[in-house]
């Protein structure tokens, strides 16, 4: 006998944060709430190179 709770989807097997998947410097700029300009994209690229991909986790909820 199926109950309503049996039919609801479960939690995903794996949850992701930002640094676990590839992203572009433009994504990092937008995660900060700013519009991607060439200067901001350049700074984001440098930040990713300096601190690694997990830097985006500072800006994600």
């Amino acid at each position: 006998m199926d109950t309503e709770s049996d039919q609801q989807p479960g939690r995903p097997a794996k949850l992701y944060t930002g640094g676990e998947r590839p992203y572009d410097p433009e994504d990092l700029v937008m995660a900060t709430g700013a519009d991607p300009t060439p200067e901001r994209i350049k700074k984001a690229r440098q930040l990713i190179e300096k601190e690694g991909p997990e830097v985006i986790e500072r800006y994600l909820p």
Side-chain angles (χ1 to χ4, degrees), residues 7-60:
Q7 297 172 2
Q8 300 216 359
R11 293 183 64 171
K14 184 171 182 177
L15 300 175
Y16 295 97
T17 61
E20 296 171 334
R21 293 183 173 211
Y23 62 91
D24 296 323
E26 293 88 347
D27 298 326
L28 178 58
V29 173
M30 290 187 288
T32 67
D35 291 327
T37 63
E39 296 82 18
R40 290 179 181 146
I41 292 170
K42 181 179 177 183
K43 287 180 183 180
R45 184 174 288 115
Q46 292 169 346
L47 191 60
I48 294 168
E49 289 173 3
K50 179 181 175 187
E51 297 189 28
E54 56 278 345
V55 72
I56 199 168
E57 294 179 14
R58 290 186 212 162
Y59 307 101
L60 297 175

Side-chain angles (χ1 to χ4, degrees), residues 1-11:
M1 173 165 101
D2 287 338
T3 64
E4 188 174 321
S5 63
D6 292 337
Q7 297 172 2
Q8 300 216 359
R11 293 183 64 171

